[in-house]
């Protein structure tokens, strides 16, 4: 108790002047931490002072915390039970396990509440899972009041697994400290939103201020959420680095003696790229991608208020910490093995930076509604890639050009009825998390844009950002805003998209030139969006029609003197939710050269194969 | 070295003197590939017929459209199985026609279909047995490759950069390729030996050829590498040339197709030259196999003389 009090007295006396002149968020969960990295045991010992505010209208009689690292405690945790066969993590080796232990917890008035800590499992009955605790309080935290908690903890990092851990000298500390849940209203009642750590799910937390001192060997290069505001060399060969960030809801950090720091900037943002040896060549690509993303997001969504962005290049053996987002800190996935024709590194950086909007600032619940962060981010990524790397925004190899949206479409359309979008991340028991949290929502946004146009969707998404920033909006709010912007035109569509497995598959069922001249358009699925139909006639005349999609099919009738040569539904490929583009047209044109082109290639490679084996 | 040059020249002449063989071989492979490609062509054509997909696909690579076509039409074709079937068929055909080709070069006769097929049939049984005998060698190469991967993963697991794993993998793949090549060379020459001496004891033939390969290892491997390198250079050249003509119009598609066929034609010649050079080389070096030179043609003996040294003598 005395030790904690001294530490926090010292911390409080050197408070940082601040990052923003006015708070951007409600600052509900505020952390001041002083931690030490032990590179021999790969563990972090620390003290944490949490100042938590009750912004609800009811007294709070208990607190709930995430102890995420306990997901890696054994193979029987909920995380690993979910993940079975989906991860390479093995627990045959004790070096690979990770856990977190609270050695002491006391309230600001000095009351020791350590003995009251109780593990709970709000999502399942798994007694082996210890990723959530509850702490009953003697005295309720009244509405508008706050509570101070001093916590001493020990975090044992695992060998890098699922975003966090160590690998040789490389450290990535994510979900590494006792973190309070979100006390919020749901279905008319207040309660804690504090889910167990599941394999698919990510995180959810309240905004606050983080003031963190990290002590580690002096030869380590460090990066973390927020701004580095202080660095002190200690006499024992260590250094203490202080990071500070306002209006964020998580804090992650990384350290590696082998990092090279590449510095750049975009407008008011200092960009630090911490890159592994041998990969300096990736710096230009990575930083340029980040700048493109900043440009696009600032234009389409709104400003990035933080003065820093740190991009981390994980060590080769720590790739499971790559491609992850934290406030003002993202992990990339560079490698000199990735050729220029493959734009995976760019896509990852843009995606993770997109999360600083959809998750970082618009802090939706990643546990319960993953589509709101992953889906919108996947769509944002597509938009940036389209603007700066099109065509061939994923693969640009000679005439083979594959775009990001092609990949998302392929993933979703492979099995469009596999799952629904609107469900908690851990409910994707038979797969489909990627297709339905990332791909389908991204394609939904593209389809909506196809119908309402770029200006309207830009206005909508900008509004979503401005209304949702530094809050926890949800799908219901998204639907309301959608209805507000588009007069309820998409209400039924959106509900179907979110809560059903209905899919969209427009096609030309037939064209008729004898007796009557007509085009028969059909929706082979049951998800409905307005669509364009282009009909071409002999002589070259062409007409464009609009169909609401209602009723399942429609017949376009024409004057008997006309002869239809081609009919195409969605000729501009605006409705990316369409699961089959092959049936979108009927035409009198001969297949001829296109068949020759592809069959000729198939023949050519078969000949090569035969030559390698015969003779 | 001078005699090696002569061997290569003779091998080259043996093919260029037989343009019919070269052309027949090309047409045979073309026909075979066309038969294998027919289901794809037919179904792909049916899928595109009556839609605007041809126009789009001629203009550009369209993954979603191709995926849609694949799911609707081509998936039941199981292209992967077709490919496996094509490989199996190609191996069988190789076993069949090798006898005819080797006999043709060995006996230095003009191409005669009847004789060619008779030779093919004559050696088929023996070559099938050789193919079975080759399996353990290929299997051993596979096992060694697997072991290399397993052992190296111990090192790469703790590698902080991709340099070591990538280098090791490249080395392992090279080693695996080299093993496959050596086994290929061994059984190429075993077949040549079987034809040349009308030999019937396959195990013994393999044993004797191992000795032959051991004595001539450098040259044999070099010849094999050269033939593969030429194929590689030809394919790269084709890719560069084809890249000049983006296949987005009928004329360009035709040009690229013709370039491809030109490549195949030249590669067919290279394969034949490799085989004829191998036969020629074996004829030149076969005195290294005591007791088995009874059928050595006088012409060859006169041309190269009695050489008792090993390959290094060149």
């Amino acid at each position: 108790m005395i030790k904690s009090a001294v530490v926090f007295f010292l911390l409080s006396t050197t408070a940082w002047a601040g990052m923003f002149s006015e708070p951007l968020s409600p600052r509900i969960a505020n952390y001041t931490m002083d931690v030490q990295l032990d590179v021999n045991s790969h563990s972090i010992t620390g003290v944490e002072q949490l100042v938590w505010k009750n912004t609800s209208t009811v007294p709070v009689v208990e607190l709930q915390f995430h102890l995420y690292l306990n997901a890696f405690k054994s193979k029987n945790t909920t995380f690993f039970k979910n993940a079975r066969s989906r991860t390479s993590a093995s627990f045959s080796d004790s070096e690979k396990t990770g856990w977190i232990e609270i050695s002491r917890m006391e309230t600001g008035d000095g009351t020791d509440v350590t003995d009251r800590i109780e593990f709970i499992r709000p999502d399942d009955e798994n007694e082996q899972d210890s990723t959530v605790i509850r702490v009953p309080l003697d005295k309720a935290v009244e509405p508008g009041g706050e509570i101070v908690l001093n916590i001493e903890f020990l975090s044992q990092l695992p060998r890098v697994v699922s975003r966090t851990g160590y690998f040789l000298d490389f450290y990535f500390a994510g979900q590494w400290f006792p973190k309070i849940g979100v006390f919020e209203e749901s279905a008319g009642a207040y309660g804690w939103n504090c889910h167990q750590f599941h394999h698919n799910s990510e995180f959810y937390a309240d905004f606050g201020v983080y003031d963190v001192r990290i002590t580690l060997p002096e030869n380590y290069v460090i990066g973390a959420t927020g701004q580095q505001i202080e660095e002190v060399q200690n006499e024992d060969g260590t250094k203490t680095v202080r990071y500070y960030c306002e209006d964020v809801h998580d804090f992650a950090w990384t350290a590696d003696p082998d990092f090279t720091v590449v510095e750049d900037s975009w407008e008011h943002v200092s960009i630090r790229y911490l890159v592994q040896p041998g990969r300096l060549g990736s710096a230009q690509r990575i930083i340029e991608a980040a700048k493109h993303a900043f440009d696009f997001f600032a234009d389409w969504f709104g400003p990035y208020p933080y003065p820093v962005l740190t991009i981390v290049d994980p060590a080769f053996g720590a790739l499971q910490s790559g491609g992850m987002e934290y406030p003002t800190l993202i992990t990339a996935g560079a490698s000199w093995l990735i050729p220029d024709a493959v734009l995976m590194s760019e896509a990852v950086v843009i995606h993770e930076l997109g999360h600083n909007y959809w998750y970082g600032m618009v802090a939706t619940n990643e546990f319960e509604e993953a589509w709101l962060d992953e889906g919108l981010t996947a769509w944002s990524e597509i938009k940036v890639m389209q603007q700066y790397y099109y065509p061939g925004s994923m693969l640009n190899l000679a005439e083979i050009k594959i775009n990001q949206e092609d990949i998302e479409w392929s993933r979703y359309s492979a099995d469009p009825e596999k799952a629904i979008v609107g469900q908690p991340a851990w409910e994707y028991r038979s797969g489909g998390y990627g297709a339905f949290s990332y791909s389908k929502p991204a394609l939904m946004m593209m389809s909506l844009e196809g119908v309402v146009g770029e200006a309207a969707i830009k206005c909508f998404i900008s509004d979503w950002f401005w209304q949702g920033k530094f809050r926890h909006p949800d799908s219901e709010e998204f639907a309301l805003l959608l209805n507000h912007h588009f007069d309820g035109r998409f209400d039924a569509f959106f509900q179907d998209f979110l809560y059903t497995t209905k899919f969209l598959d427009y096609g030309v069922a037939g064209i008729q030139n004898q007796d009557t001249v007509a085009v028969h358009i059909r929706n082979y699925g049951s998800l409905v969006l307005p669509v364009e139909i282009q009909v071409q006639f002999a002589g070259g005349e062409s007409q464009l029609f609009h169909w609401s999609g209602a009723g399942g099919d429609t017949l376009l009738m024409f004057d008997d003197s006309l002869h239809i040569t081609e009919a195409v539904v969605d000729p501009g490929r605006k409705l990316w939710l369409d699961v089959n583009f092959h049936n979108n047209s009927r035409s009198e044109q001969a297949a001829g050269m296109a068949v020759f082109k592809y069959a000729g290639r198939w023949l050519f490679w078969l000949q090569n194969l035969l030559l390698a084996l015969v003779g | 070295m001078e005699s090696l040059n002569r061997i290569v020249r003779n091998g080259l002449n043996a093919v260029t003197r037989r343009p019919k063989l070269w052309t027949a071989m090309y047409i045979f492979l073309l026909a075979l590939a066309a038969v294998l490609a027919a289901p794809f062509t037919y179904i792909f054509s049916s899928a595109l017929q009556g839609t605007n997909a041809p126009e789009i696909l001629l203009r550009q690579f369209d993954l979603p459209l191709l995926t849609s076509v694949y799911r609707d039409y081509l998936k039941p074709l199981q292209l992967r199985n077709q490919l496996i079937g094509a490989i199996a068929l190609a191996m069988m055909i190789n076993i069949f026609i090798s006898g005819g080709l080797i006999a043709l070069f060995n006996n230095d006769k003009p191409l005669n279909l009847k004789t060619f097929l008779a030779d093919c049939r004559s050696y088929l049984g023996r070559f099938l047995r050789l193919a079975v005998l080759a399996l353990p060698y290929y299997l051993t190469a596979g096992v060694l490759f697997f072991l290399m991967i397993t052992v190296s993963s111990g090192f790469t697991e703790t590698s902080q950069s991709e340099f070591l794993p990538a280098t090791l993998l490249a080395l392992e793949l090279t080693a695996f390729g080299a093993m496959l090549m050596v086994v290929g060379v061994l059984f190429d020459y075993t077949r040549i030996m079987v034809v040349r001496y009308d030999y019937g004891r396959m195990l013994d033939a393999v044993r004797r050829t191992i000795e032959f390969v051991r004595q001539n290892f450098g040259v044999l491997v070099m010849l094999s590498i050269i033939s593969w390198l030429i194929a590689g250079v030809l394919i790269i050249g084709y890719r560069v040339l084809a890249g000049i003509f983006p296949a987005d119009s009928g004329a360009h598609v035709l040009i690229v197709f013709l370039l491809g066929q030109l490549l195949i034609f030249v590669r067919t010649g290279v394969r034949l030259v490799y085989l004829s050079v191998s036969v020629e080389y074996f004829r030149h070096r076969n005195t290294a196999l005591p007791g088995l030179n009874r059928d050595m043609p006088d012409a060859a003996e006169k041309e190269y003389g009695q050489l008792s040294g090993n390959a290094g003598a060149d």
Side-chain angles (χ1 to χ4, degrees), chain A residues 413 573 582 585 587 607-608, chain B residues 47 50 52 62 71 261 267:
Chain A
S413 63
R573 196 175 290 173
H582 174 243
S585 67
S587 172
Q607 283 176 289
N608 274 290
Chain B
N52 73 343
D62 187 329
R71 285 176 187 154
Q261 291 312 303
R267 277 200 64 194

Side-chain angles (χ1 to χ4, degrees), chain A residues 167-168 256 279 316 335-336 410 413 573 580-582 585-587 597-598 601 604 607-608 610 613 615, chain B residues 30 47 50-52 54 57-58 62 68 71-73 90 94 157-160 162 165 247 261 263 267 271:
Chain A
F167 180 78
L168 302 177
D256 190 329
R279 295 191 199 149
F316 175 72
S335 167
W336 56 263
S410 299
S413 63
R573 196 175 290 173
N580 185 344
F581 291 121
H582 174 243
S585 67
R586 285 291 173 98
S587 172
K597 176 178 169 179
Y598 290 90
R601 283 178 189 185
F604 171 73
Q607 283 176 289
N608 274 290
L610 291 174
L613 298 165
Chain B
L30 174 65
T51 72
N52 73 343
L57 292 176
L58 185 60
D62 187 329
S68 299
R71 285 176 187 154
D72 277 2
Y73 286 84
N94 184 39
E157 201 180 48
T158 53
S159 174
Q160 194 150 10
E162 56 273 51
Q261 291 312 303
L263 166 82
R267 277 200 64 194
R271 285 297 291 165

